[in-house]
Amino acid sequence: MDELEPVLRGLPNNVTTEMDLELWRLAVAIRDDAESYTALTTQDPSRLAREFQAGRVPARLEAGLTRFLDRYGHRAVAEIDVGMPRWSDDPAHIIGVLANSSSAGGPGPGADVQFSKAAEDADAQVARLVARAGARSPLHAVVVRAALRRARLFAGLRELPKYQLVLGLAEVRRQLLHVGKELAETGILEQPDDIFFLDFHEAHQALPDHPGGAVPDLRELVAERRAAYEWEVGRRRIPRVLLSDGTEVEALQPAAATASDGALTGSPASTGSVTAAARVILDPVGAHLEPGEILVAPSTDPGWTPLFLTAGGLVMEMGGPNSHGAVVAREYGIPAVVGVPDATGRITTGQRITVDGGAGTVTPA
């Protein structure tokens, strides 16, 4: 596996990596424009997002951000939930990542250079493995070359089905918001996004032209469901498996042991070792990650990956070697360990830790 992992770095056809690299290139362009850089690094991301939507930001920042959102604005954190605002609805998260990346102009290589080097290393590893197979027979070399090239060609496409699904979900969200706006204007709902706390039947009944008679006032129902939702999203963790009686399987297992040296164990996800300060992040929106810091998170999805542009390593509580975070970490050559129980509670921000992505361990430095 250690010999094959480099082959799966710097993959082509990965829409999430392409998105991250476009964001990095925009950050570099902004760094070279004093007016845009000053606006980006001195203003609160939420305020700057409002200024951008009002057309009151420097020209280079406005053009670059508009171009990025035209292509990727349908994405979001937890993006399969149609109730979650898209980046085009609220670009504050992306603006925060841009500010973080723009200020990361240290002596180390940028994300684009890292990705290019990973692709070159992958090609070199393919050549080595083909040469080894060729020592057995020319046929072995042909088969190994074909298999490895196909692996590189198609592995990056792992991200494409969800990308296309989220495009469709973004359109569903847009249409539902039209209905929500109409109901809010008539006073049936408090605000347009209350529509996401109704089912289709309830929303249909609430339409003014519904033939069912009096239009119900759904504000109290929405308030109850919104309160329940807010409580649920406040959970630190969600059980991966529940029995039919509601029992959490993991709660029945002995607590994860901590080695005598304080090491935490998980699943190896991306080889390499790094020692740096940890940054525990439970919600990527508005999060700040200093260049080189180790990202410690419950789990990740494509909405998190812009943070990988400056991360030095990754520790996740959930997931396995083929989870999204692990795949993207390998893309950038970031050491990563996943499936570390209660990592966000047992590691603190600022604590220096060593992540060994080959051994699957996280130890105090």
Side-chain angles (χ1 to χ4, degrees):
M1 180 63 186
D2 287 347
E3 291 187 320
L4 289 177
E5 183 176 311
V7 175
L8 300 178
R9 290 182 172 176
L11 294 170
N13 306 318
N14 187 324
V15 290
T16 299
T17 302
E18 292 169 359
M19 175 187 76
D20 294 341
L21 290 177
E22 183 167 335
L23 194 61
W24 176 264
R25 286 189 286 268
L26 175 56
V28 172
I30 288 173
R31 192 187 305 158
D32 294 335
D33 181 69
E35 186 181 12
S36 295
Y37 180 80
T38 300
L40 191 63
T41 56
T42 60
Q43 293 192 42
D44 175 75
S46 295
R47 178 184 174 186
L48 194 58
R50 293 191 295 270
E51 293 291 303
F52 165 73
Q53 291 172 328
R56 296 193 297 264
V57 297
R60 180 171 293 187
L61 175 59
E62 181 177 18
L65 196 52
T66 298
R67 184 173 62 252
F68 179 86
L69 293 175
D70 282 347
R71 182 171 182 185
Y72 300 109
H74 64 285
R75 309 213 74 168
V77 177
E79 59 195 359
I80 62 173
D81 179 353
V82 295
M84 295 297 292
R86 308 291 107 172
W87 288 340
S88 56
D89 298 328
D90 181 6
H93 173 51
I94 291 301
I95 288 174
V97 172
L98 274 175
N100 201 48
S101 300
S102 294
S103 60
D112 51 349
V113 175
Q114 292 180 23
F115 182 81
S116 296
K117 184 179 184 304
E120 292 171 1
D121 290 345
D123 289 339
Q125 181 69 353
V126 168
R128 284 191 290 269
L129 294 175
V130 169
R132 185 189 303 174
R136 299 182 63 182
S137 74
L139 179 59
H140 278 84
V142 171
V143 171
V144 169
R145 179 184 291 108
L148 295 180
R149 284 183 173 176
R150 287 177 70 84
R152 284 191 53 75
L153 180 64
F154 293 118
L157 293 174
R158 172 190 183 277
E159 299 290 319
L160 189 58
K162 185 184 178 186
Y163 179 88
Q164 299 295 346
L165 171 65
V166 173
L167 271 173
L169 291 177
E171 180 59 26
V172 170
R173 173 182 169 82
R174 192 172 72 87
Q175 296 298 330
L176 287 173
L177 280 174
H178 284 315
V179 177
K181 182 179 180 181
E182 181 177 342
L183 295 180
E185 288 174 347
T186 58
I188 297 171
L189 297 178
E190 292 284 350
Q191 54 197 38
D193 67 354
D194 284 347
I195 191 68
F196 300 116
F197 293 93
L198 302 176
D199 61 30
F200 284 115
H201 177 68
E202 292 164 341
H204 188 233
Q205 281 189 314
L207 292 175
D209 57 353
H210 181 70
V215 176
D217 186 340
L218 298 171
R219 289 175 293 185
E220 184 175 344
L221 177 62
V222 167
E224 291 176 1
R225 291 177 177 174
R226 188 182 285 275
Y229 172 79
E230 295 295 339
W231 187 86
E232 288 290 345
V233 297
R235 290 179 182 266
R236 286 293 299 271
R237 60 184 299 275
I238 298 173
R240 284 182 280 187
V241 178
L242 287 174
L243 301 182
S244 58
D245 63 358
T247 301
E248 182 183 349
V249 175
E250 291 175 328
L252 301 178
Q253 305 299 318
T258 302
S260 57
D261 60 356
L264 306 178
T265 59
S267 300
S270 180
T271 58
S273 179
V274 62
T275 298
R279 175 76 65 168
V280 178
I281 296 178
L282 304 179
D283 183 352
V285 178
H288 181 73
L289 187 70
E290 291 290 340
E293 286 185 328
I294 295 170
L295 172 62
V296 182
S299 63
T300 64
D301 67 8
W304 284 73
T305 57
L307 291 174
F308 287 32
L309 292 171
T310 54
L314 172 68
V315 178
M316 288 199 317
E317 291 181 336
M318 299 179 65
N322 290 322
S323 61
H324 175 82
V327 170
V328 178
R330 288 195 292 271
E331 281 282 80
Y332 290 115
I334 300 171
V337 179
V338 300
V340 181
D342 197 27
T344 60
R346 301 165 78 180
I347 299 172
T348 58
T349 294
Q351 178 184 357
R352 289 188 64 79
I353 59 175
T354 297
V355 175
D356 188 330
T361 59
V362 182
T363 56

